[in-house]
């Protein structure tokens, strides 16, 4: 049942993939949670004893064996895995196949006290109880001869999570359907009896959020010389992480709260040691994290306002504030946003938890979210080689430091895409990475370093800065032309690029040889992405299309009714543009074009005059009409209307609106294209505009509260800058010309991502860190089962048990 | 060579003697034979359950559709002291029965409950069956049970031919909706969409549009249009609350969507058509390199714009938030792992009001898992499995009856309908704790004589 992965590092760094495909029979059935226990194997037979976990710190001591207990939701059992022997244990060998210890319906959480592991506690969602199991039973090979559990503690509603107090005397149970938690006095449990749980109702008050104050010194390191590709990178530019005011950071305001319900719905819980020890409870309905004093759970403490419902938490130990400090003074709480799976970073206030504030963490997308590549399903803080009492900083001469060695405090996030992302919190090796002062690193390969707290760990280094992969090309009327380093193209109608100056935070990505920049791109390794950008002359506006346009002449005015919310797609007519303030970048747009893309339907007679005007001997005429006004009908039933400008027969090849109406009396497919500009789209970045419908009038306009760089059109002879790429392209094209500029951004440092599935479907359910052996364990409900990951000397998957 | 030829001639002669024009064996009345589809009458609470048997093994010369009186089923559940109680003889339950072509692939009922539509693969047609208020089925033809006549099989109507379209092969699912969903007058009738699998990127998935039941016209559904270019490997079709069709694919990680345009001004069927609304990519989910989705369900709560997708790779219910989705992206935000071989998905709002308490409902998803032989019940708000209903052989399509706290499951492998009593589970949700010592929903009644087939075990 053990799959030993070869010594090759199974890392997927920004898109890399392993080749091996492994398929085999599964013994596990929907594993969901894992806990660890150490067994003393010296006694014979069933007398093996569960002993404190620290006994298993020495892997070479054969007397003790580290085990993992894995809940099997599909079987109502808990499986034991002997991690010392790399073996899944069959708890009853008399039964064919693998048998595990039955614990009740739908076990969702398992807890083994670290110091006194005599008993194991399992929360059963289906059985609505907490089972108490003699831990040694998991090691026994003939469990059927023994009683399975010594107690079943009924819960009033289904339990979903367990947490243990630091003194291991109190077990806390989350009861979402009751809006409460239950506490169980473990000291009162005997072989015969178990005490009833004490129910603690959770509060419903949602106070105002707390603004985050910028740190005095950011936790950040970028080498060499804090510059990449000639451009400043975030450590200097946005080191504080406080967007908007780089030079004079201001408090970061909390977001408006979002509710998913009006009563508490506790989810995952974590315990913060200290005086008093506190329990933090995520809430799937309210935008708060409940704070419970474990010394007296009946006394409610003010909650931490996080702004959104949350489903899972992870808390760090105390860590130093800066890279070189050794006194651990800071603690951070992470939470998964229950509405979208994003991850929030919170500075935890030890004295008054309610003063904890959500931090800005991302340079792209939502400011107050850790920038991960996919929604998170589970998070856990991992602390390899970390002792908060005496952080063991690296030695400057240590040549083993590098992005793949994890020593310190990190957040591990199990993502929906089946990978585990690592987020930097406190790296014991940071001061040595790239050299003490970004000079003469002991590891000669570790020259380029990007480390910033709450940001994904960069897992690769690059020798060059962010750059284009190849020369940009312009395709004009079917022929491709490279853009020379002076910006010229050889095509007769192919547009050229114009030299410009890169904006702060951007790097020159073309030309490669240092001539005047033609294309610039975001240099921030956490904001940049490898992707292909295209700028299409008079291209279609993505999303502004459909199959149900109706043409009409409303009181003689050419009008089109469509089914798509055109305002939100950024469609603007002449009147809409004229109403914009002159400083808005959209004020330079030309009116968009409404284009009929459907064919003349068969119901229109072959000899109809309109048909001959459209279906000419030279081919079909494209029917397009400049938009005069675009709007959402405020008093209607959600209709969207485009008032268009008619064409006259005086225009060469023109088809009038009346002719179009004659040939398209029924619903017709359509799209909107820009006029006199290029539509700019990234392969991983969606087309972006600031379009919105005015609430009062319904007229399409722009949302001025959004950043002005949120534009999707490159106007000829005007610098285009959407905050990610910047270039300027010449004009001179006719309406009927086709031209497209394309370039691919590469050389972007890749984030450290551990691929779990190995080309098999994956749904991660849990991550656990075992401080006894400093390894990380990932639970996959699908094929991989329990995956053991070594964290140093380099991150690698050791084995998996399924 | 000569010997082989003689052997072949001999075999042909033997076949001739056996009668190659043998019409086959009529299915006996009251027999379930590989039930594949179930649907409830839309009255509330539902009066009838309709079950389509596919005749998968071609043991008989036809499949069948039966209507079951649910009050009788309820009585059987109530009277069952030691579940599961089996009823081999279905006479007391079956109100009516007709024969249809073999290999029915899907069935739906008109919004008014007066007509059933079946996608029949063996004959590549849309078969329709009229239903009256007593649950009696009629589709012409004679015999006992009567066999549906040609007039009740559709696919090559005049309008379709005028447009040069014909019904594609390999229908896999069918769904019916009122044209009122599309903003028309209810008197304009209904529309029926049939999904066709498609095998390659060239031979794409397709959806056929039929119109039916316009006031004053009762000639049966008329094929109006076929839209192509949808993802290949379609397996099913469902309507969303706005009347658009969603077609999951068993081959790629995309879900197709189809809209229906009914010309409001001309009111002319010829000018109605189905169109490709654009596929949605299932991004950010680890499917191991190939997507495979089997069904979709839409959250019935108006304030919750979520879509639930039943996925086989990974085996999970994917939760997609349409408010957060970008254009072209389904917007998956979470996944709830379920059993092996997920096949069909239903969503229901169940009353969990405690005795004497404030009215309360709970939204639950029911996923049949063919390979693990169970039905998983998931609370999408909790993101957790709340129960696993076991004791089945090959659960496939299912129907949830919130009025009776029952679920009807077509057990394909053993040719029975399993009636699941949700009461123990709901009692726990309503009152808390385990009032009856268990919170597990259980199979209470088995309708039909189990006839497991070795090849499918």
């Amino acid at each position: 049942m053990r799959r030993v992965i070869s010594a090759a590092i199974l890392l997927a760094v920004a898109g890399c993939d392993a080749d091996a495909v492994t398929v085999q029979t599964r013994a596990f059935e929907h594993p969901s949670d894992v806990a660890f226990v150490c067994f003393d194997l010296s006694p014979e037979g069933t007398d093996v004893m569960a002993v404190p976990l620290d006994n298993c710190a020495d892997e070479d001591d054969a007397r003790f064996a580290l085990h993992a207990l894995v809940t099997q939701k599909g079987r109502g059992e808990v499986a034991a895995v002997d991690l010392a022997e790399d073996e899944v244990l069959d708890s009853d060998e008399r039964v064919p196949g693998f048998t595990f210890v039955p614990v009740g319906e739908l076990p969702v959480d398992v807890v083994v006290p670290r110091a006194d592991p005599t008993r194991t506690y399992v929360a059963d969602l289906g059985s609505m109880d907490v089972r108490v199991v003699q831990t040694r039973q998991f090691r026994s090979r003939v469990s059927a001869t023994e009683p399975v559990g010594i107690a079943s503690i009924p819960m009033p509603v289904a339990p979903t999570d367990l947490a243990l107090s630091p003194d291991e005397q109190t077990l806390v149970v989350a009861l979402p359907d009751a809006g409460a938690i239950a506490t169980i006095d473990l000291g009162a449990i005997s072989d015969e009896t178990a005490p009833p749980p004490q129910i603690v109702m959770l509060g419903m008050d949602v106070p105002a959020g707390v603004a985050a104050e910028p740190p005095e010194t950011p936790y950040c390191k970028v080498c060499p010389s804090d510059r990449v590709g000639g451009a400043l990178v975030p450590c200097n530019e946005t080191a504080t992480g406080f967007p908007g005011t780089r030079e004079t950071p201001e408090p970061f305001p909390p977001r408006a709260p979002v509710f998913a319900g009006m009563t508490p719905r506790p989810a995952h819980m974590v315990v913060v040691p200290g005086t008093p020890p506190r329990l933090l409870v995520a809430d799937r309905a309210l935008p708060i994290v409940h704070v419970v004093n474990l010394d007296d759970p009946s006394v409610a403490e003010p909650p931490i306002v996080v702004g959104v419902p949350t489903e899972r938490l992870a808390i760090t130990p105390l860590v130093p504030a800066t890279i070189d400090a050794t006194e651990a003074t800071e603690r951070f709480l992470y939470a998964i946003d229950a509405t979208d799976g994003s991850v929030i970073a919170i500075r935890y206030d030890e004295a008054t938890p309610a003063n904890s504030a959500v931090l800005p963490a991302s340079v792209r997308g939502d400011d107050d979210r850790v920038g991960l590549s996919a929604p998170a399903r589970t998070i856990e803080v991992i602390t390899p080689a970390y002792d908060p009492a005496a952080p063991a900083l690296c030695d400057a001469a240590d040549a083993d430091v590098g992005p793949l060695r994890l020593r310190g405090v990190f957040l591990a996030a199990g993502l929906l895409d089946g990978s585990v992302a690592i987020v930097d919190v406190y790296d014991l090796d940071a001061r040595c990475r790239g050299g003490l002062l970004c000079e003469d690193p002991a590891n000669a390969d570790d020259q380029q370093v990007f480390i910033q707290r709450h940001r994904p760990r960069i897992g690769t280094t690059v020798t060059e800065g962010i750059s284009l992969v190849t020369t940009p090309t312009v395709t004009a009327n079917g022929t491709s032309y490279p853009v020379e380093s002076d910006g010229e193209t050889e095509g007769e109608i192919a547009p050229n690029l114009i030299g410009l100056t890169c904006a702060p935070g951007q790097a020159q990505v073309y030309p490669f040889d240092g001539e005047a920049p033609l294309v610039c791109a975001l240099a921030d390794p956490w904001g940049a992405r490898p992707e292909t950008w295209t700028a299409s002359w008079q291209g279609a506006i993505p999303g502004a299309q459909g199959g149900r346009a109706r043409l009409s002449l409303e009181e003689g005015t050419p009008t089109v009714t469509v089914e798509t919310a055109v305002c939100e797609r950024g469609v603007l007519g002449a009147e809409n543009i004229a109403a914009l303030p002159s400083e808005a970048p959209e004020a330079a747009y030309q009116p968009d074009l409404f284009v009929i893309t459907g064919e003349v339907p068969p119901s229109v007679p072959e000899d109809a005059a309109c048909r001959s005007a459209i279906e000419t001997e030279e081919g079909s005429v494209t029917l397009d009409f400049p938009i005069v006004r675009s709007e959402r009908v405020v008093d209607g039933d959600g209709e969207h209307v485009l008032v268009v400008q008619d064409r006259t027969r005086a225009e060469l090849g023109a088809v009038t609106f009346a002719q179009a109406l004659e040939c398209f009396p029924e619903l017709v497919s359509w799209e909107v294209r820009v006029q006199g500009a290029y539509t700019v789209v990234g392969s991983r970045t969606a087309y972006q505009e600031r379009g919105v419908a005015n609430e009062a009038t319904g007229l399409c306009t722009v949302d001025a509260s959004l950043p002005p760089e949120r534009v999707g059109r490159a106007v000829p002879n005007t610098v285009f800058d959407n905050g990610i790429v910047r270039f300027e392209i010449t004009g001179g094209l006719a309406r009927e010309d086709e031209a497209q500029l394309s370039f691919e951004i590469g050389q972007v440092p890749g984030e450290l991502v551990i691929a779990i599935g190995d080309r098999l479907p994956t749904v991660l359910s849990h991550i656990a860190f075992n401080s006894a052996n400093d390894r990380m364990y990932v639970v996959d409900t699908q094929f991989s089962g329990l995956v053991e990951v070594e964290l140093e000397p380099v991150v690698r998957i050791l084995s998996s048990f399924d | 060579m000569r010997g082989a030829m003689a052997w072949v001639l001999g075999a042909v002669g033997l076949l001739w003697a056996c009668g190659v024009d043998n019409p086959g064996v009529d299915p006996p009345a009251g027999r379930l034979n590989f039930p594949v589809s179930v649907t409830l009458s839309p009255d509330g609470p539902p009066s009838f359950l309709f079950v389509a048997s596919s005749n998968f093994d071609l043991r008989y010369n036809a499949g069948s559709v039966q209507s079951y009186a649910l009050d009788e089923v309820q009585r059987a559940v109530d009277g069952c002291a030691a579940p599961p109680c089996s009823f081999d003889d279905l006479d007391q339950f079956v109100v009516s029965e007709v024969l249809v072509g073999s290999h029915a692939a899907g069935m739906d009922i008109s919004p008014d409950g007066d007509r059933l539509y079946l996608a029949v693969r063996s004959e590549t047609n849309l078969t329709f069956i009229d239903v009256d208020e007593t649950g009696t089925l009629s589709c012409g033809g004679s015999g006992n049970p009567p066999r549906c006549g040609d007039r009740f099989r559709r696919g090559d109507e005049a309008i379709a031919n005028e447009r040069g379209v014909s019904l594609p092969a390999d229908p896999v699912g069918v769904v019916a909706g009122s044209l009122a969903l599309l903003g028309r007058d209810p008197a304009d009738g209904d529309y029926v969409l049939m999904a066709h699998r498609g095998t390659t990127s060239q031979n794409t998935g397709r959806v056929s549009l039929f119109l039916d039941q316009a006031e004053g016209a009762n000639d049966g559904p008329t094929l109006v249009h076929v839209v192509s270019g949808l993802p290949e490997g379609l397996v099913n079709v469902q309507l969303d609350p706005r009347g658009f069709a969603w077609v999951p694919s068993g081959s790629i990680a995309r879900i197709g969507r189809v809209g229906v345009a009914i010309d409001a001004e001309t009111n002319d069927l010829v000018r109605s058509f189905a169109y490709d609304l654009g596929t949605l990519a299932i991004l950010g989910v680890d499917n191991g390199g190939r997507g495979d989705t089997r069904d979709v369900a839409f959250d019935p709560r108006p304030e919750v714009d979520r879509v639930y997708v039943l996925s086989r790779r990974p085996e999970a219910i994917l939760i997609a938030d349409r408010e957060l989705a970008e254009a072209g992206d389904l917007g998956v935000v979470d996944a709830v792992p379920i059993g092996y071989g997920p096949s069909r998905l239903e969503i229901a709002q169940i009353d969990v009001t405690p005795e004497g308490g404030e009215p309360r409902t709970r939204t639950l998803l029911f996923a049949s898992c063919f390979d693990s032989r169970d039905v998983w019940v998931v609370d999408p708000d909790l993101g957790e499995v709340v129960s696993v209903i076991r004791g089945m052989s090959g659960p496939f399509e299912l129907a949830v009856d919130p009025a009776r706290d029952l679920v009807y499951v077509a057990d394909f492998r053993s040719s029975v309908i399993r009636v699941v009593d949700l009461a123990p589970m709901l009692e726990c949700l309503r009152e808390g704790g385990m009032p009856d010592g268990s919170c597990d929903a259980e199979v209470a009644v088995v309708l039909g004589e189990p006839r497991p087939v070795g090849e499918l075990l």
Side-chain angles (χ1 to χ4, degrees), chain A residues 361-396:
Chain A
S362 177
V363 291
R364 190 166 189 161
D366 292 336
D367 291 329
D368 58 353
R369 294 294 187 269
V370 176
L372 300 172
S373 59
R377 284 185 45 78
T378 183
I379 50 176
E380 183 66 286
V381 168
I382 59 175
T383 58
Y386 181 71
D387 178 0
L393 294 177
C394 59
D395 188 312

Side-chain angles (χ1 to χ4, degrees), chain A residues 531-586:
Chain A
E531 66 178 321
T532 299
W533 287 87
T534 56
S536 304
W537 173 244
Q538 301 203 139
I541 296 178
Q545 68 232 121
R548 291 193 289 173
R550 174 175 299 290
L551 313 186
S552 64
L553 277 166
E554 298 282 346
E555 299 176 352
T557 303
T559 304
V560 185
T561 306
V562 296
E563 76 277 27
T564 302
V566 288
C567 291
E568 284 69 20
R569 307 297 184 201
V571 174
L572 294 171
E575 293 180 7
N576 308 102
I577 295 169
L580 296 176
S582 58
E583 66 272 17
E586 295 88 350

